Amino acid sequence: MATITLGNIKFNWKGTYNAGTAYAIDDVVSYNGSSYIAKTATTGNLPTVTANWDLMSQAGTNGTNGTNGDTFGLANKEIAFKTNAGALDGIPIGTAGQALKVNSGATGYEFGSAGTSELLGSGESSNVTSLAINNSVLSSAYEEFVIYTFISKASGGGGGQKEMFVSTDNGSSTMNVDRLYHFAQLYPAGGTGHGVSSAGVNADRIHLNVGSATGDYHNGKITILRPSFASAGERNRNTLLSEAVSSQNPGSSVNVENLTAYACIHDGNGNRMSNIDYVRFEMNGAGFDMKWAVYGRKW
């Protein structure tokens, strides 16, 4: 009758193979990533010697460089992707609030705006007669801009009329527009006034308020919408919406004025299909203080 050793009725894990160790039947060792089981008593015979050992489990294939497969130097916090050419590449992490998206050429990935408004520029000027925001801020990468303004009449004559000019060639010339605006005024003791003007057809400027004296100020929001159409011939591609609330005669008998203006580049203008990339603010010959900020939106 065969003799059964109770200690050998299970596999005996012996760890990494050692040439000086005497192994018994059913001893299991690791060697070069694989596991082997002894089928004879053996000393000094490598686990690859099939007369003494059977392969129990085989090691998998290592990465390309024998460690973790990182053959292109992936930096910390980078995301790996395969390029159109089949090579591996890495994308550095973006900044807070950005999202991973396809780049403009549809050839890879990049971090960028997650769809919320992005501050493109801001500034502050004192007692100027003209202030321009050019294509370094109103860049071609955005389909919509929102310009926030705080304007106060600082000095000089003129009617105090705050006005805006627009251009599609970065200020080399200004475009005529078709415009419509409505204003409402609230006077002390509950008096009111209002008016609507559509007389500005093919006009060279957009009114931002009705009038002001030195010290009057207003807060404004101007939206420039310039969607990109696939074909030419679309009418009134560039649309502008201006909303302003003004305080007149601050500190005494305050009048509050609200003006909403709508405008688009005149249909007869040859540049109507080009993007607005420049705006200029003026106050009809007077000086003004102004703070502004521009936000861009992508669709």
Side-chain angles (χ1 to χ4, degrees):
M1 173 180 283
T3 301
I4 299 175
T5 303
L6 293 179
N8 286 340
I9 62 174
K10 63 178 182 178
F11 296 129
N12 301 311
W13 177 249
K14 297 298 184 177
T16 303
Y17 171 76
N18 188 316
T21 301
Y23 294 103
I25 295 174
D26 291 336
D27 283 350
V28 178
V29 298
S30 66
Y31 181 72
N32 289 341
S34 297
S35 297
Y36 298 85
I37 184 170
K39 58 184 182 181
T40 68
T42 178
T43 303
N45 295 303
L46 289 175
T48 53
V49 177
T50 57
N52 305 104
W53 300 89
D54 280 335
L55 178 67
M56 190 172 188
S57 63
Q58 188 170 13
T61 302
N62 285 335
T64 304
N65 68 351
T67 54
N68 60 3
D70 181 7
T71 62
F72 56 93
L74 189 67
N76 292 340
K77 299 182 180 178
E78 282 191 341
I79 297 175
F81 71 98
K82 184 174 285 189
T83 67
N84 289 343
L88 290 175
D89 200 356
I91 308 170
I93 192 170
T95 59
Q98 288 186 322
L100 182 65
K101 59 184 182 179
V102 176
N103 63 21
S104 59
T107 58
Y109 303 92
E110 64 183 5
F111 281 96
S113 171
T116 57
S117 295
E118 187 172 347
L119 178 63
L120 304 179
S122 61
E124 181 174 353
S125 299
S126 299
N127 199 19
V128 294
T129 58
S130 179
L131 186 144
I133 301 173
N134 62 24
N135 65 0
S136 65
V137 175
L138 304 177
S139 70
S140 60
Y142 298 86
E143 287 82 17
E144 183 178 281
F145 299 95
V146 178
I147 306 174
Y148 294 96
T149 64
F150 176 85
I151 302 176
S152 175
K153 184 176 180 183
S155 65
Q161 186 94 8
K162 303 178 184 72
E163 298 166 333
M164 182 175 69
F165 299 78
V166 300
S167 172
T168 60
D169 53 18
N170 199 32
S172 297
S173 60
T174 53
M175 308 296 106
N176 286 359
V177 297
D178 297 337
R179 70 192 189 199
L180 166 69
Y181 67 86
H182 174 267
F183 68 89
Q185 295 170 316
L186 177 64
Y187 301 99
T192 60
H194 68 88
V196 177
S197 171
S198 59
V201 176
N202 202 18
D204 64 350
R205 68 196 68 190
I206 302 164
H207 291 314
L208 301 180
N209 75 321
V210 177
S212 63
T214 299
D216 292 357
Y217 58 87
H218 87 262
N219 294 288
K221 176 185 177 183
I222 300 160
T223 302
I224 301 175
L225 180 63
R226 56 179 199 189
S228 298
F229 293 104
S231 59
E234 301 288 349
R235 289 193 61 192
N236 305 329
R237 173 179 179 175
N238 293 276
T239 306
L240 298 99
L241 171 62
S242 171
E243 304 167 273
V245 177
S246 300
S247 178
Q248 299 180 339
N249 306 313
S252 56
S253 56
V254 177
N255 301 331
V256 176
E257 171 187 284
N258 175 275
L259 183 140
T260 303
Y262 306 88
C264 59
I265 293 181
H266 182 64
D267 188 47
N269 193 300
N271 290 333
R272 72 182 185 279
M273 289 301 298
S274 300
N275 288 330
I276 291 175
D277 60 0
Y278 171 98
V279 297
R280 186 176 76 249
F281 299 93
E282 295 187 2
M283 196 179 277
N284 200 19
F288 62 97
D289 300 333
M290 181 173 174
K291 297 180 180 179
W292 60 272
V294 179
Y295 289 82
R297 296 174 181 169
K298 295 181 181 180
W299 291 1

